[in-house]
């Protein structure tokens, strides 16, 4: 994209330098990823993901390796979405997204985006990865949101009806100098209590409630991880405004509520420009 600029005299100079990637300035369309393919079955995306992963396994250049692993992760994301919309297969969509998260994290460990030797392409790749991770965690929460609501209601009902923990202080302190002094003899059950505790300050929580609370925490943590990764991406975007402004213009802005299809197309376009800029396969 080329923009005419008006000088102080009011007369426009010949042309201003374009703010798009070099390939676009040259007028070539090689840097644009076309997205006209119809949706496929999960098996197709799984095959494509494995093909890209094997390609990445065979590469030596770390940036090229990372880019191809992320490209494979995009096909795994498409596979997970196809599983959501079709009959479930051997793996659930949640498991597919979980394993995709691990693949992206592995790809990010290959290149340091924050050190003194980090290139612009490393930072651009990190933004794309962080955004994909944020969307994956959000998608994982969405898949189990109904379960989280049930757990939340059951836990609230339990703690509303459960006996309250006494607020009276214990009769002895850690040093044995409490108001009543330590007991002269401790029974086996009393000796197992933590120091500073009394039998009346402990309540038993049923195992099912403990497990329910753990499951609820695992699901709701996905929301926290999603926002954390999105904020990490935003902190890096400021150093690459030109790249991502142009990407937003061409592909449409990416948000936490974007579809998987949009996230894949957006990220693939960014990966293509990184490949061209860094001259990696």
């Amino acid at each position: 994209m080329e923009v005419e600029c008006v000088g102080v005299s009011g007369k426009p100079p010949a042309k201003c330098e374009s703010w798009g990637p070099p390939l676009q300035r040259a007028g070539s369309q090689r840097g644009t990823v076309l997205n006209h393919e119809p949706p496929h079955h999960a098996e197709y995306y799984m095959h494509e993901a494995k093909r890209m992963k094997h390609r990445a396994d065979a590469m030596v250049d770390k940036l090229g390796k990372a880019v191809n692993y992320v490209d494979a992760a995009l096909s795994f994301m498409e596979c997970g979405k196809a599983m959501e919309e079709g009959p479930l297969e051997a793996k659930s969509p949640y498991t597919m997204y979980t394993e995709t998260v691990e693949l992206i994290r592995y790809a990010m460990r290959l290149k340091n985006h924050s050190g003194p030797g980090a290139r612009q392409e490393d930072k651009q790749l990190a933004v794309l990865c962080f955004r994909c991770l944020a969307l994956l965690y959000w998608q994982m929460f969405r898949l189990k949101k109904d379960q989280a609501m049930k757990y939340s209601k059951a836990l609230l009902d339990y703690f509303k009806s459960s006996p309250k923990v006494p607020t009276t202080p214990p009769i002895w302190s850690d040093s044995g100098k409490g108001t009543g002094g330590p007991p002269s003899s401790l029974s086996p059950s009393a000796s197992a209590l933590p120091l500073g505790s009394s039998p009346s300050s402990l309540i038993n929580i049923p195992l099912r409630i403990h497990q329910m609370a753990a499951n609820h925490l695992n699901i709701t943590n996905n929301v926290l991880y999603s926002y954390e990764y999105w904020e990490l991406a935003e902190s890096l975007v400021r150093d690459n405004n030109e790249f991502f402004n142009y990407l937003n213009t061409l592909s449409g802005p990416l948000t936490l509520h974007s579809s998987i299809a949009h996230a894949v197309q957006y990220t693939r376009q960014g990966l293509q420009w990184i490949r061209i800029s860094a001259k990696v396969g």
Side-chain angles (χ1 to χ4, degrees):
M1 296 179 67
E2 293 177 334
V3 184
E4 270 196 351
C5 296
V6 178
V8 177
S9 64
K11 297 179 180 179
K15 294 270 183 174
C16 283
E17 185 180 359
S18 164
W19 51 268
L23 202 66
Q24 298 301 110
R25 291 202 292 266
S28 171
Q29 295 302 311
R30 239 177 4 103
T32 303
V33 176
L34 301 178
N35 189 31
H36 300 309
E37 284 193 24
H40 298 283
H41 294 295
E43 293 90 347
Y44 172 86
Y45 296 119
M46 179 66 75
H47 174 78
E48 287 298 300
K50 289 180 178 180
R51 182 179 64 82
M52 291 301 300
K53 186 176 180 298
H54 293 327
R55 180 181 177 185
D57 291 338
M59 295 189 72
V60 176
D61 179 80
K62 287 188 176 181
L63 179 60
K65 203 177 188 72
V67 166
N68 281 282
Y69 277 135
V70 176
D71 208 346
L74 296 178
S75 290
F76 281 127
M77 288 171 65
E78 291 177 303
C79 182
K81 190 60 180 174
M83 287 179 176
E84 284 190 62
E85 296 172 351
L88 293 183
E89 316 201 5
K91 291 183 179 180
S92 71
Y94 191 92
T95 302
M96 178 60 62
Y97 292 145
T98 302
E99 293 179 358
T100 305
V101 163
E102 294 305 316
L103 180 59
I104 295 175
R105 283 177 172 169
Y106 175 75
M108 292 193 71
R109 288 196 293 270
L110 294 173
K111 290 296 296 179
N112 185 1
H113 65 273
S114 57
R119 297 184 295 175
Q120 285 299 100
E121 291 87 357
D122 299 332
K123 296 177 182 179
Q124 291 158 3
L125 179 63
V127 171
L128 296 174
C129 287
F130 283 142
R131 284 180 170 174
C132 283
L133 288 172
L135 284 161
L136 281 166
Y137 275 113
W138 184 257
Q139 196 77 355
M140 288 159 65
F141 169 73
R142 188 188 63 78
L143 286 173
K144 295 200 173 184
K145 181 183 66 174
D146 292 342
Q147 290 182 37
M149 293 294 290
K150 291 177 182 177
Y151 290 146
S152 182
K153 184 179 183 306
L155 291 168
L156 287 173
D157 291 344
Y158 170 78
F159 287 112
K160 280 180 183 178
S161 60
S162 64
K164 305 298 179 185
V165 178
T167 57
T168 55
I171 59 174
W172 69 86
S173 66
D174 291 353
S175 61
K177 298 179 181 179
T179 55
S184 57
S185 64
L186 296 177
S187 66
S189 59
S191 63
L193 294 173
L195 291 176
S197 301
S198 65
S200 62
S201 68
L202 301 177
I203 58 172
N204 291 323
I205 297 179
L207 183 60
R208 68 177 184 85
I209 296 297
H210 183 275
Q211 187 61 51
M212 199 179 294
N215 291 339
H216 183 266
L217 186 63
N218 286 336
I219 296 171
T220 53
N221 269 348
N222 289 327
V223 178
L224 301 178
Y225 295 144
S226 177
Y227 277 98
E228 181 181 10
Y229 280 120
W230 192 264
E231 288 175 359
L232 285 171
E234 291 303 297
S235 67
L236 288 174
V237 164
R238 290 190 289 269
D239 296 331
N240 292 274
N241 273 328
E242 185 179 12
F243 181 92
F244 286 101
N245 284 343
Y246 190 70
L247 186 54
N248 290 342
T249 301
L250 184 64
S251 300
L254 196 66
T255 72
L256 261 179
H257 301 286
S258 293
S259 66
I260 291 292
H262 181 204
V264 167
Q265 193 274 334
Y266 181 98
T267 307
R268 279 216 172 102
Q269 180 63 74
L271 292 180
Q272 179 69 357
W273 289 344
I274 291 172
R275 281 190 177 101
I276 294 167
S277 176
K279 298 179 181 178
V280 296

